Amino acid sequence: MIKTLLVVLAVAFAQPQADLSGPWAFAVVDLGVTNTSRMVLTQSGETLSGRIGNQPVEGTFRGGAISIKSADRSATGTFAAGQLTGELSQGGRTLKWTATRIPPRPVQPRTHTFEPTTFELYFTSRVAPVLRIAAGDTVRTWSVDAGGVDAKGERRSGPGNPQTGPFFIEGAMPGDTLVVRLNRIRTNRNWARSGSEVMANALDPYHHANLKWTEPFNSRWTIDAAAGIVRLEQPPDNLKDFTVPLRPMLGCIGVAPGQQLAVRTTDSWRFGGNMDYNQLVEGTTVYLPVNHPGALLFVGDGHAAQGDGELTGDALETSMDIEFTVDVLEQPNYGQPRAENDDYLISIGVGGSLDQALQMATSGMMRWLERDYKLSATESAIVLGFAIKYDVVDLVGTQVSIAAKLPKTALSKLRKAS
Amino acid sequence: MIKTLLVVLAVAFAQPQADLSGPWAFAVVDLGVTNTSRMVLTQSGETLSGRIGNQPVEGTFRGGAISIKSADRSATGTFAAGQLTGELSQGGRTLKWTATRIPPRPVQPRTHTFEPTTFELYFTSRVAPVLRIAAGDTVRTWSVDAGGVDAKGERRSGPGNPQTGPFFIEGAMPGDTLVVRLNRIRTNRNWARSGSEVMANALDPYHHANLKWTEPFNSRWTIDAAAGIVRLEQPPDNLKDFTVPLRPMLGCIGVAPGQQLAVRTTDSWRFGGNMDYNQLVEGTTVYLPVNHPGALLFVGDGHAAQGDGELTGDALETSMDIEFTVDVLEQPNYGQPRAENDDYLISIGVGGSLDQALQMATSGMMRWLERDYKLSATESAIVLGFAIKYDVVDLVGTQVSIAAKLPKTALSKLRKAS
Amino acid sequence: MIKTLLVVLAVAFAQPQADLSGPWAFAVVDLGVTNTSRMVLTQSGETLSGRIGNQPVEGTFRGGAISIKSADRSATGTFAAGQLTGELSQGGRTLKWTATRIPPRPVQPRTHTFEPTTFELYFTSRVAPVLRIAAGDTVRTWSVDAGGVDAKGERRSGPGNPQTGPFFIEGAMPGDTLVVRLNRIRTNRNWARSGSEVMANALDPYHHANLKWTEPFNSRWTIDAAAGIVRLEQPPDNLKDFTVPLRPMLGCIGVAPGQQLAVRTTDSWRFGGNMDYNQLVEGTTVYLPVNHPGALLFVGDGHAAQGDGELTGDALETSMDIEFTVDVLEQPNYGQPRAENDDYLISIGVGGSLDQALQMATSGMMRWLERDYKLSATESAIVLGFAIKYDVVDLVGTQVSIAAKLPKTALSKLRKAS
Amino acid sequence: MIKTLLVVLAVAFAQPQADLSGPWAFAVVDLGVTNTSRMVLTQSGETLSGRIGNQPVEGTFRGGAISIKSADRSATGTFAAGQLTGELSQGGRTLKWTATRIPPRPVQPRTHTFEPTTFELYFTSRVAPVLRIAAGDTVRTWSVDAGGVDAKGERRSGPGNPQTGPFFIEGAMPGDTLVVRLNRIRTNRNWARSGSEVMANALDPYHHANLKWTEPFNSRWTIDAAAGIVRLEQPPDNLKDFTVPLRPMLGCIGVAPGQQLAVRTTDSWRFGGNMDYNQLVEGTTVYLPVNHPGALLFVGDGHAAQGDGELTGDALETSMDIEFTVDVLEQPNYGQPRAENDDYLISIGVGGSLDQALQMATSGMMRWLERDYKLSATESAIVLGFAIKYDVVDLVGTQVSIAAKLPKTALSKLRKAS
């Protein structure tokens, strides 16, 4: 007993009670599936209060032993080596849990110059991040074109929108919103390739069946960045004077989708991905729902320019210099991609048909107005009814998308709740 | 024989051989259904040549008797009282035909001021025209609001987009394109009414099921034409400062649909109709396919302003002063509504779903580029792929619509065939 | 005063107070639009009670003068020559009304043999009925084929599903359900014609664009009614032994759509019409929503047989002998076509896309279970979740349709409310 | 040199020239992506001929060195330890290749009894197979229910259709068709759970918004296998007598999707997966396109019974005893799931909307008739037009599905090409 006492005293003196206050990544493993939430604790003496996800918790921390409970779960554990581990009881079952501290947001954001060497063909959490960055940090990097060819014309990856990334953003937790400001999206070579047929799903099928496409057609384009235009290298006569204004955009921007999904980088869904949205240009801020710790951000598939919907399947595919700054918002997460530029709030709906995509886009915008601007359903109806603009975003892949846009001129006339 | 000779001489002297040269409305009645086409004849002596619709015809005109034939039809008849009548043989059957002269386009266009007294609730050829006008003419008139109420607040018709018209345009024949330039579209009273709920087909159904609409909601608006804004008469707090820029548009513009159809003026189809397109404003030119002799033009359903899709079912419904100028293009007719403004060529697709509407819109634009600009399919793909913009036009009715827009900046870079 | 008394006495003696009890067709004309409802009155002395549509009314009838009112309307009028006429006050406006007695259902139903001489190409109330029949009556008639050709091979109408009818059913009022039992649907000649290409909207567009159809193809078929089969007259080698079981059906059955609509008989909507449903065969009972007094029933477009969806645009088009018996149910009207056979309750959804059609079909069946079988939403979910069958009904026209079918074996296990 | 000669002689004598004849798994690694095809060689002396995939190849094999080429590729390599390795030149690039023998189909098929211990929540090739079996083999195994609970009521996996498998089928190569005959699909416990609300995408949104679901609702069912029925444990009054006929089916059957995709087992696509098709019962044969070497077959999500479309999201979810026999067909692979039972050929179309799913289903059936029955497009149109039946398969997930079914009675009347 003396021995025990001595140990206790030793602990008590050598290791004064730690302060568990602050945010933690709280992970529960259930039959092989890990679910991670943000736990935020406030410690006052030996008393703990706070929340796990949105659920309030309270408990105690005493002598290295933690005990917390929420309305339907209770957990015990120990604190060692900066980590909490223990057992959780929920619904009559006992599960393991761990918690690690979420590092504080750095006072001074950093700028990372990242040279990619691997390129990912799947939006997934099944690959290791290429770089860990913090909220507030800026990344300067580049992407290969949709076919995997870089600025020097070298093939670096198999085709199908190979991505740069994924980037792990410290502190981003499931349920959060990842903010990605596109600081600089610029073409970095003088050529692009495009498709030369309109996709069948954009055409009246009887019209489509009678079209005679020119084959072969040289769809290589010259990018004249100085003049700000793109032109076919070998145009047919009718298009001898045809040029496209250079307007570089990212065809792909997305985070790892839910759990262990691996989605081809030619497709999109609620996590973003291959949205092919011609408004995702330099100066735009993109909001993505975080599904995994660290968010795991992917970027790629640069287009020198693109009409609505990416009608030709391949736009002006080219390699790109990319600079973005990330941030993490704890709440709210609208479960779908959103964006914002000087002129618009933008809610992007992704669905199996345009009708379903438009429904998701409109509902996303209404939720945004409700949560951030405290509008009632009817107030939102009034605002959207007379101000909404829709863009047909993307017609490519198993999912199509439509964006609902609210002009900031309309927004400026709302009395936003404080 | 002497007698016959005398008769012939008498005819020859008394009635010098008429000249059938020029355009005719050629009508065939088949088991109760009348099909009318433009017949254009050139007479040289007793020899006739020309076409009926797109089919070449040739024949003779001698002593008041006409005989013409095309590849698969032959007709005989007589000319009397300025009209041709006779029998037609096609596919082994004998049918009656008549032809009346299509009046020449007046040298001097006129401006008609038309005071409506009746209002139509169906787009149809089953009603008598309210006014006959010529290609080149201008009409100054007005419309009641969607509920049937006029500028003075008087109820003039049952609700459901009562139309002003139909106007019969001399010389417009099935297969032609009716051109309607909207010279002036202005609100003419100081109030409007709107819907106050977003339609269910624009929302995620799970979101829609949980919405709480404010009922009753006073959705009467004040139109301040001088200031160019519209505001709720009794706004809720959040919308106290909310105003909508006044941008008057026509919710309905259409011609009589094919044959004897009668379509509610709350619906739309390939003849136009209740398209609720917020780009159909003053200064826009609308192109409509002619399905009936005289086209039968209807206008109405003025909106003081509207977001895309007419999300609230009713936009800012109000009465309107309308001035338009019509013209008739013999060819081509693209079988769907189109429009043009300073910035865009616009092809409007109408379909049972947004996916189908977009297909019709894109194909319509490709046909336009092919026929008027002589682009090949691949050239169109290139142009549209990097310049097309889509608008979600209308979500109301049994048909929805999407517009494909081609910027004139892109068009100006095409080498249009002469 | 004496004089007045004498008059009153004279009236009292000469015209004993009529009894207004019973059903009336109550018609209000509002700015040119007539709305007709069933008014049911019960007279007790000089006191009236009852309803107009679903609204309770009460009032008085005294000396030939009627006065009734409901929650939001009041009407006065006079009774003369078996008819009521007067003025109605609603919403501050004064409108004219009339009411005529709805004849009682005959004790003895009749069978009418009707030889059609005209054929209608529009579902509409704008044409005069060809025959007036009563609830309970049976009609024996026939239809031409989709191209207008009769049993003898004579062309009787222009093409596009010319209809036999419309039949006016006495007592059928807007809001009612028209019941049409198909007693006998039989081919009456030995040949049919069909399409020979699959419609583009039923095919993957890339597949469709590469198909090579055999042209010309002789798609004339021989109907061998004795053997119960149909075979191509000149089959290609692979189809030398191919026969189709004879299963005569009506491609079209419908009532006049709402108000003054005129819908082509190649199209369908909530009033039925060209549904092309291969389950509408002899022995089936069809339920249609009544939109106009008399319902105005149309039948036609017989098919000797048809796969789901009428994939080839034209099925085995032929003329048909038709016998049906009608009935009128006052309530409920589900706003869409329904049917019933020995095996199934059938709710037919019509919409702009298959997705929308399925939604209408399922909701229609749930409403049916709720109203006729008193099931709660969850009870319906349970029943439908494990018993529902869907048919793809029709892919032709501006609207497509899907049927939801509930097996009667499942129905027999419900405790239907009495 | 002598030494070299001796070595060569030694090789020549000690290792007589191997015979490379037969099938090989030919794998090329290109920038991290492995593409595997079946190579079939015939060796005659030192001369090789055959094909890689569908491309003819020829070459030589001499002294352990192989050299082969096709129209656009040439490869060299060496044979050692039963394996070929070398370099491949295509499009100016040099890639590594290897080939391993595809084992011959065993003379005697085996029956494997497999006790699962892990359960997969993704259809993917990213997991190791649980068992390797040969074409012709039979597997007896079982599955947990959609929530992860086994026959004994023990929770074995997280929820969301945990799968048994994947099974690696020797010799199955990308482009092949995997045949899975469902010999035995039987429930193995006496209870199930279901959903109790109709999914919103199956309902008219206005109807859906007004529904009042009973909450909580006990949706636990008793399976009475002896009586062949399923009944609610605690039914509401109206459903006291309601039973569902026991008809066990597999909600999920699928192979690993293309490349490295990982698709949730709640979703479906061209590889099959969670199709929730109530025709996939005991006695049915399922055909799946092979995307990976070994196919990687997953099975699970047993339903005791289900109406069309899995209207309640969860059907009668239960654990299941499963026995199936696999086979591999080298060609053709239709790129989508198909099935066959005593009555029908079945082509399953999966798409973002029902309209798209139906298009894929119909085109799949036409391709089947074209390739296996040598029908022309027009012949297929005739057969399908009058014999096709559609099933609404599944309304759950990001993709929905429709099946096109051709009755074998119609098939039996075709003169199938030999």
Side-chain angles (χ1 to χ4, degrees), chain D residues 386-405:
Chain D
F386 306 106
I388 205 167
K389 296 289 298 172
Y390 288 104
D391 284 339
V392 170
V393 170
D394 187 26
L395 300 169
V396 179
T398 70
Q399 305 285 304
V400 293
S401 30
I402 279 186
K405 302 193 300 184

Side-chain angles (χ1 to χ4, degrees), chain A residues 71-95:
Chain A
D72 56 3
R73 300 195 295 184
S74 65
T76 57
T78 56
F79 177 67
Q83 193 171 357
L84 293 160
T85 54
E87 290 194 336
L88 176 82
S89 172
Q90 72 177 17
R93 302 168 62 236
T94 300
L95 307 171

